Amino acid sequence: MPSARISDTPAGRQGLGRGTLLLMAVACGLSVAGNYFAQPLLEIIGRDLHMSAGALALVVTVGQVGYALGLILLVPLGDLAERRGLATGLCAATAAFLLVTASAPNAAVLLTGIALTGLTSVAAQVVVPYAATLASPEKRGRTVGTVMTGLLLGILLARTAAGLLSGLGGWRTVYWVNAVLMTVMAVLLYRALPRLRTPVGLSYPRLLGSTFALFAHEPVLRRRALMGGLSFAAFSVLWTAMTFLLSGPSYDWSASAIGLLGLVGAAGSLSASVTGRLADRGLVHRVTGIGSVLLLASWVLLGLGGYGGAWSLAALLAGVIVLDAAVQGVHISNQNLVYALRPEARNRLNSAYMTSYFAGGALGSALTSAVWSAYHWAGVCVLGAALSAALVLVWLTEPRATRHQASRTRTVAQSPAARPKPTVADTAR
């Protein structure tokens, strides 16, 4: 196998072509999708495995807990271990745990499989900073945007795929299919990606400690983590309550029809590449502001979508598209700014940021359940608008120094001091 030095220059990154970038985006989507298959299938799973309502509630919870542990314990390893091996190993492990879930004979095995799948599905959060490191500085925003498009499509389309495949072969089918696809992804990533190690000289315990220490030392990380958490909380408010609305008297949709709504949301995720290009031009702060304001405005359209009928449905669909595009814009701009802080610690920065991001999502889901039971769709829209207004406020109060740093992200990323120093590594084709 030939040997080559992986340098942090545009010439050294010629291996990250369009095909490789697309492969990384697909891998991210397939990795994260496994955490969302169960949501539209809970009733079917419960009947098949004779699970109580309480046990079914744990299906979603254990997956979220597993993913949170993976963000904290596994993602920082990207700054310590060889990245291609880590990414492909996590993909292979995810495939194995999907098989456990697919073949589960009882609730205990099902919950174990889903928890372990959530733990290793953070492969997506290893691949994103990996792609950012391989990308040339002037294309980093576009690269992150493309990979994140794959991840968001995986979240949005997982429910659709689960509904369609369950109709063909039962609830286990989507897990069997995804296990096969993740195995293929592991092989393809191993063949397509270069080996890359960025030594940090830390033991694993010290590595984890340094991840938490980043919050204390990086005010930009703290603020952008808060902004990310608020935006994903608003995202979770919508998608948690959507099933309640569409299955209720206003629309009375079937489960399969509700699952297809993910296709509409996917349209908003396609804005990621545009957001990335704007970030590459030093417009991170402006993109964040536009995304925050659009997120707030989307709740006006979503509020009009709660009445049923053709015009109400049109407003609802438009609101979904605007909200998803806005969340994606805020998220991509956050990542571009956070990744530029310490290139040698990108995986730890990603771990810290994404832990806050998904904590916000969990909070949004929990609040939605309580608000829906008391105030229904109108209350949910007020909750989403309040979270979005808080995001706008955080953006408006961003320190001038941070705004200047955001406008200079491209220049900082190109400076020699900001470049990571990977070791000599093999390329595998």
Side-chain angles (χ1 to χ4, degrees):
M1 187 177 295
S3 178
R5 179 178 178 82
I6 306 299
S7 62
D8 193 46
T9 65
R13 295 190 187 91
Q14 291 176 353
L16 189 61
R18 182 172 298 179
T20 303
L21 184 58
L22 178 61
L23 177 65
M24 297 174 86
V26 173
C28 284
L30 291 174
S31 294
V32 76
N35 295 320
Y36 297 89
F37 290 145
Q39 293 182 5
L41 305 176
L42 290 177
E43 183 180 355
I44 304 172
I45 293 172
R47 288 200 307 266
D48 184 42
L49 298 181
H50 308 289
M51 296 173 65
S52 66
L56 280 177
L58 287 175
V59 170
V60 176
T61 302
V62 298
Q64 292 175 336
V65 170
Y67 195 80
L69 289 175
L71 287 172
I72 296 170
L73 300 177
L74 298 182
V75 172
L77 282 172
D79 290 333
L80 187 64
E82 194 280 304
R83 297 189 191 183
R84 184 184 70 174
L86 178 61
T88 56
L90 289 173
C91 286
T94 301
F97 296 138
L98 285 166
L99 291 176
V100 172
T101 304
S103 58
N106 53 51
V109 176
L110 175 78
L111 293 174
T112 300
I114 286 179
L116 292 174
T117 297
L119 179 72
T120 58
S121 65
V122 294
Q125 301 304 333
V126 173
V127 170
V128 174
Y130 191 177
T133 299
L134 293 175
S136 54
E138 68 274 9
K139 294 183 179 179
R140 185 163 291 143
R142 188 184 313 176
T143 298
V144 171
T146 300
V147 177
M148 286 304 303
T149 296
L151 189 148
L152 187 58
L153 285 175
I155 294 175
L156 292 171
L157 298 182
R159 301 171 181 86
T160 304
L164 293 176
L165 290 175
S166 66
L168 295 176
W171 69 267
R172 301 176 190 269
T173 305
V174 68
Y175 291 101
W176 290 117
V177 170
N178 200 32
V180 173
L181 293 176
M182 286 303 298
T183 301
V184 173
M185 281 296 108
V187 173
L188 293 179
L189 287 175
Y190 188 83
R191 292 178 60 86
L193 297 179
R195 289 173 54 85
L196 179 63
R197 184 192 298 272
T198 307
V200 293
L202 297 175
S203 64
Y204 179 62
R206 290 181 61 198
L207 185 77
L208 294 182
S210 69
T211 302
F212 294 104
L214 287 170
F215 275 113
H217 299 302
E218 297 290 351
V220 173
L221 173 62
R222 292 196 300 271
R223 178 171 288 267
R224 288 288 164 162
L226 174 60
M227 296 169 80
L230 288 170
S231 68
F232 199 57
F235 178 91
S236 297
V237 167
L238 171 65
W239 288 101
T240 300
M242 188 66 73
T243 300
F244 301 146
L245 173 68
L246 296 180
S247 62
S250 296
Y251 289 95
D252 195 27
W253 283 15
S254 66
S256 58
I258 295 173
L260 290 174
L261 193 66
L263 296 173
V264 177
S269 71
L270 299 179
S271 65
S273 61
V274 176
T275 300
R277 287 182 172 87
L278 293 174
D280 287 335
R281 297 176 183 175
L283 301 175
V284 172
H285 179 73
R286 190 175 302 177
V287 169
T288 307
I290 293 172
S292 302
V293 172
L294 285 176
L295 184 60
L296 179 59
S298 70
W299 288 103
V300 177
L301 293 170
L302 293 168
L304 296 174
Y307 300 100
W311 287 106
S312 188
L313 177 60
L316 182 69
L317 297 180
V320 168
I321 293 173
V322 173
L323 181 140
D324 286 347
V327 170
Q328 188 79 325
V330 173
H331 184 47
I332 298 300
S333 59
N334 285 345
Q335 285 184 307
N336 275 277
L337 191 55
V338 168
Y339 287 165
L341 293 174
R342 298 189 186 185
E344 78 284 356
R346 280 200 179 110
N347 283 273
R348 282 168 285 163
L349 288 166
N350 196 44
S351 172
Y353 172 77
M354 292 305 301
T355 298
S356 303
Y357 190 72
F358 279 94
L363 176 63
S365 295
L367 291 174
T368 302
S369 299
V371 170
W372 176 269
S373 63
Y375 303 105
H376 302 289
W377 185 250
V380 166
C381 290
V382 171
L383 172 62
L387 291 168
S388 304
L391 173 61
V392 173
L393 181 62
V394 174
W395 173 73
L396 287 173
T397 58
E398 192 164 43
R400 186 177 299 274
T402 303
R403 299 184 187 190
H404 177 72
Q405 182 176 356
S407 68
R408 300 290 294 171
T409 297
R410 178 179 177 181
T411 304
V412 170
Q414 289 177 316
S415 68
R419 295 172 183 165
K421 299 175 177 59
T423 60
V424 174
D426 296 332
T427 56
R429 302 293 180 197

